[in-house]
Amino acid sequence: PHTPCPWGTLRASPGFAPTAVVTLALGIGVNIGMFSFVNGLLLRPLYANADEVVLLDTDPTTPSADDGRDFSDPNYRDIRDGTANVFANLAAYSINFVGLDAGNGARGALAATVTGNYFQVLSAPPVLGRSFTADEERPGAGIRVAIVSYPFGEELGAGADTLGRLVRINGEQFTVVGVAP
């Protein structure tokens, strides 16, 4: 039996080769694009040293306190101080649904109440401005500052104009001191 030469097939169908090349190129391109998307979104950690970060949480089957937080500030401080020889650092956060008004009408938004060292623990300093200070974190200090997300910072007027802007969160005025990465 005689096997036909593949070059003969290409000569007999001159449109086949360009179609095959374009199909392969598209297939490879789509695969590379999908891998890049999945890698960037799911596989690559969101912050440096992610393998060293531990999440402490209460039993997820038990409802948390009325304010939605699993730990009170005194409990957090007790855990932080009591585990100083276990963890290099400890930060806390609580996700809340808030009313947000930056001067263009109120709207609902997700916000995180975080401890002053939150960005330090995640090795993710603000891209603009500064992080929180120890004085701002002190209970009863009454210093109302906020670090806004990068997209919201762009809404406020990207760049240094964002810093110092006033925003209302749940009716209380906060000064923007930083923009998160």
Side-chain angles (χ1 to χ4, degrees):
H2 180 273
T3 50
C5 172
W7 304 116
T9 306
L10 290 177
R11 268 190 238 121
S13 305
F16 176 77
T19 303
V21 169
V22 167
T23 302
L24 283 171
L26 283 173
I28 291 169
V30 168
N31 278 317
I32 290 172
M34 287 302 294
F35 176 77
S36 297
F37 176 76
V38 169
N39 184 44
L41 192 64
L42 301 174
L43 302 178
R44 189 176 305 147
L46 294 175
Y47 43 85
N49 304 324
D51 58 332
E52 297 176 6
V53 175
V54 176
L55 175 65
L56 298 178
D57 197 0
T58 58
D59 182 358
T61 61
T62 305
S64 58
D66 291 338
D67 65 358
R69 297 176 61 179
D70 290 332
F71 296 105
S72 66
D73 286 334
N75 285 347
Y76 158 71
R77 292 178 197 292
D78 287 345
I79 293 168
R80 181 193 63 197
D81 297 343
T83 59
N85 59 347
V86 177
F87 300 115
N89 212 336
L90 187 70
Y93 72 97
S94 176
I95 304 293
N96 309 292
F97 191 73
V98 299
L100 176 67
D101 186 356
N104 52 358
R107 67 179 187 210
L110 284 177
T113 303
V114 302
T115 53
N117 63 342
Y118 179 80
F119 295 99
Q120 175 193 359
V121 168
L122 297 181
S123 299
V127 293
L128 185 63
R130 63 174 176 82
S131 194
F132 299 114
T133 66
D135 286 338
E136 293 163 345
E137 183 186 45
R138 196 178 68 246
I143 304 170
R144 301 205 182 279
V145 293
I147 295 175
V148 299
S149 69
Y150 191 85
F152 187 65
E154 287 183 329
E155 267 184 55
L156 291 176
D161 294 342
T162 304
L163 301 178
R165 293 277 307 262
L166 298 176
V167 294
R168 290 184 98 53
I169 302 171
N170 288 343
E172 309 242 0
Q173 212 165 27
F174 287 75
T175 303
V176 175
V177 296
V179 178

